[in-house]
Amino acid sequence: MSRIPLMPKATAVWLVENTGLTFRQVADFCHLHELEVKGIADGDVAAGIKGLDPVTGGQLTREEIAKGEKDPEYRLKILESKVNIQVQKATSGPRYTPVSRRGDRPDAIAWLLRYHPELPDSAIMKLVGTTKSTITSVRERSHWNAANIKPVDPVSLGICSQLDLDFAVQKAARKAGKPANESTPVRTLIPASEVEGTAAHAAAHADDEQPTFAPSVREEERSYDADSVFAKLKPLARKQVEEE
């Protein structure tokens, strides 16, 4: 795919006004639709846009335009620049921190120093977006606001993501020669049967919650003898005879 010319619509305006190229040729060169180029010629599109000369801009030659005017099927080729411009890659500097969150950075640094002492200063700088001097001042309690600094999780503050924090901790643990699970405990979901208030917990502990009743005296097996039974029946028989 050829390179797109600088300011395609302005270039198309100039080509329509100053050359005999077809709408299709101009559209292909400027990466526009043919109907859009026709609208430029009719004055319906790109009204008020000043044409840009691609010849003086070093994007097209007079000879290339002449070839296109002689052959309607010819496709114009953009002039490649002979100067190789090096694209500067972004360096991996400190993470950008929003202005509204910059006041929370000392709290995040204090949290990382307390709960993840294995993290080097360079990792804290990338996570929080701070400087080494600030980390040193928080560690040595020489920060100007040291009295008000409280350790707060940087993830809850929105300074970094949990994924970035876990990755930095695991990387520091590998460098220290310790397994990652010792420095960062694996978080797992609690089974529903162990969570109070859930149906699974109630079903699992249904048998334990049923009351147990001790056998009453009536349900216990007793040993009876004949003398005690007749001794209780004699008063009843005497009372019945008196009533008759």
Side-chain angles (χ1 to χ4, degrees):
M1 183 178 181
S2 60
R3 185 165 53 91
I4 300 176
L6 182 65
M7 300 179 65
K9 284 190 177 181
T11 303
V13 170
W14 189 92
L15 292 174
V16 169
E17 294 177 352
N18 299 277
T19 65
L21 299 172
T22 63
F23 295 156
R24 181 65 180 274
Q25 288 175 316
V26 176
D28 291 342
F29 179 76
C30 297
H31 292 256
L32 300 174
H33 196 277
E34 187 175 353
L35 295 178
E36 192 172 4
V37 177
K38 185 177 183 302
I40 293 175
D42 296 338
D44 300 331
V45 180
I49 295 180
K50 185 178 180 180
L52 177 65
D53 186 359
V55 178
T56 58
Q59 302 180 91
L60 201 60
T61 61
R62 292 289 181 181
E63 293 77 9
E64 192 73 10
I65 295 176
K67 290 180 181 179
E69 290 175 339
K70 292 179 181 179
D71 184 7
E73 299 297 329
Y74 182 77
R75 297 292 175 261
L76 300 178
K77 298 178 181 178
I78 191 169
L79 186 63
E80 298 292 339
S81 177
K82 297 180 180 179
V83 180
N84 187 14
I85 302 175
Q86 297 291 338
V87 179
Q88 186 178 4
K89 296 182 180 180
T91 58
S92 57
R95 181 188 298 272
Y96 173 76
T97 305
V99 178
S100 59
R101 296 293 183 184
R102 291 179 185 178
D104 300 330
R105 285 186 294 190
D107 297 339
I109 295 171
W111 189 90
L112 293 173
L113 292 175
R114 172 178 292 185
Y115 296 102
H116 294 287
E118 71 278 5
L119 287 176
D121 292 350
S122 58
I124 298 177
M125 291 168 58
K126 291 181 179 180
L127 287 172
V128 183
T130 185
T131 60
K132 187 176 181 64
S133 59
T134 305
I135 299 174
T136 304
S137 62
V138 173
R139 181 186 288 112
E140 298 177 354
R141 304 292 296 175
S142 60
H143 194 270
W144 65 272
N145 196 27
N148 298 322
I149 294 178
K150 298 179 181 179
V152 183
D153 188 354
V155 177
S156 62
L157 293 175
I159 295 179
C160 68
S161 64
Q162 186 66 49
L163 183 63
D164 293 337
L165 177 59
D166 294 342
F167 178 77
V169 171
Q170 292 174 5
K171 184 177 179 180
R174 287 195 299 269
K175 287 185 177 181
K178 298 179 181 179
N181 55 4
E182 292 184 3
S183 57
T184 55
V186 179
R187 300 177 181 178
T188 57
L189 294 176
I190 301 175
S193 58
E194 299 181 8
V195 181
E196 296 184 0
T198 60
H201 180 270
H205 296 77
D207 297 338
D208 300 339
E209 295 178 357
Q210 290 182 358
T212 56
F213 300 95
S216 60
V217 179
R218 296 180 180 178
E219 294 176 357
E220 294 179 351
E221 294 182 358
R222 300 179 178 179
S223 58
Y224 299 95
D225 55 339
D227 296 337
S228 61
V229 172
F230 286 112
K232 293 181 179 180
L233 292 177
K234 285 181 180 180
L236 295 176
R238 187 182 300 109
K239 185 176 181 182
Q240 187 178 2
V241 173
E242 292 176 355
E243 289 179 357
E244 293 178 357

